[in-house]
Amino acid sequence: DGGITQSPKYLFRKEGQNVTLSCEQNLNHDAMYWYRQDPGQGLRLIYYSQIVNDFQKGDIAEGYSVSREKKESFPLTVTSAQKNPTAFYLCASSKEVKRGYTFGSGTRLTVV
Amino acid sequence: QQQVKQSPQSLIVQKGGISIINCAYENTAFDYFPWYQQFPGKGPALLIAIRPDVSEKKEGRFTISFNKSAKQFSLHIMDSQPGDSATYFCAAGRGSTLGRLYFGRGTQLTVWP
């Protein structure tokens, strides 16, 4: 079955360390997205990519970086520059917007 | 500027009642309006979506009503059940692109048995 996989489900890091969250899809979707979810804030877009080797900043890109070297993969790095990184991170993919997004099950990052 | 505004933030409904969540959007270029349902610890899942050429779409107990002139759309959940307790997000975007959706801030629905 096709789907989108995020790993790990839970991640703990010390303050000041960079951490990379994995997102892989086998749906043959062209577009991939990273969202951050905080209570009461909804889903805020960090970065998105419409094609391999290209990506665009979303609404809260500061302190994050991404790469899109393969169609199937869109890893997100949370850098030490991100002031408040503890959150639930969601990856999504889409063939085109009108077909909707498929979301992964998320990674909960806790920085201590 | 928030592209999609959603209300209420939380909603408590008795089993069997009707749950209503409202959204308003800014950009008249938007032509795709989905609703997502999210259970705790999971990713959101597409529930139902509508295009602006129709005023209503129904799937089972879930109905989207769309008012193009007012730039508003709403989700109605008929005969609400405890299993419907979840967070609901509305969204809007341009459907014919590989671009992005703009999400509302979500509504936490609790259905009491």
Side-chain angles (χ1 to χ4, degrees), chain A residues 77-92:
Chain A
T77 297
V78 184
T79 75
S80 57
Q82 168 51 231
K83 291 182 171 52
N84 186 17
T86 295
F88 188 52
Y89 290 88
L90 287 160
C91 179

Side-chain angles (χ1 to χ4, degrees), chain A residues 26-97:
Chain A
N26 60 1
L27 298 165
N28 197 34
H29 285 174
D30 295 300
M32 297 187 73
Y33 309 81
W34 274 106
Y35 284 87
R36 169 178 172 145
Q37 185 173 17
D38 298 281
Q41 295 287 329
L43 302 172
R44 293 185 291 170
L45 182 65
I46 304 172
Y47 269 99
Y48 66 106
S49 169
Q50 297 170 308
I51 194 170
V52 173
N53 292 323
D54 189 37
F55 45 82
Q56 288 77 43
K57 291 183 179 180
D59 303 318
I60 56 165
E62 185 176 351
Y64 299 97
S65 66
V66 293
S67 62
R68 187 88 185 274
E69 296 177 2
K70 299 187 300 181
K71 187 176 184 178
E72 301 78 20
S73 178
F74 191 41
L76 173 74
T77 297
V78 184
T79 75
S80 57
Q82 168 51 231
K83 291 182 171 52
N84 186 17
T86 295
F88 188 52
Y89 290 88
L90 287 160
C91 179
S93 69
S94 175
K95 191 68 175 173
E96 58 181 339
V97 169

Side-chain angles (χ1 to χ4, degrees), chain B residues 9-109:
Chain B
Q9 187 172 350
S10 63
L11 182 62
I12 300 174
V13 173
Q14 200 162 11
K15 179 182 175 182
I18 302 173
S19 303
I20 302 174
I21 305 171
N22 300 299
C23 285
Y25 64 98
E26 293 292 327
N27 191 336
T28 55
F30 292 159
D31 61 0
Y32 175 70
F33 304 90
W35 286 87
Y36 286 81
Q37 180 188 55
Q38 183 183 29
F39 293 105
K42 305 292 185 184
L46 179 64
L47 185 63
I48 187 173
I50 197 168
R51 301 295 296 267
D53 51 345
V54 297
S55 60
E56 186 175 283
K57 183 175 181 180
K58 185 176 181 179
E59 289 185 3
R61 296 184 294 109
F62 300 90
T63 300
I64 300 179
S65 297
F66 185 81
N67 186 330
K68 188 174 180 178
S69 60
K71 293 191 289 184
Q72 294 175 347
F73 58 110
S74 60
L75 177 70
H76 296 235
I77 305 174
M78 311 301 288
D79 186 27
S80 298
Q81 299 296 313
D84 297 330
S85 297
T87 299
Y88 293 81
F89 293 97
C90 62
R94 296 179 63 188
S96 59
T97 70
L98 286 176
R100 59 170 292 182
L101 286 172
Y102 294 85
F103 285 86
R105 292 194 173 183
T107 296
Q108 188 167 350
L109 172 65

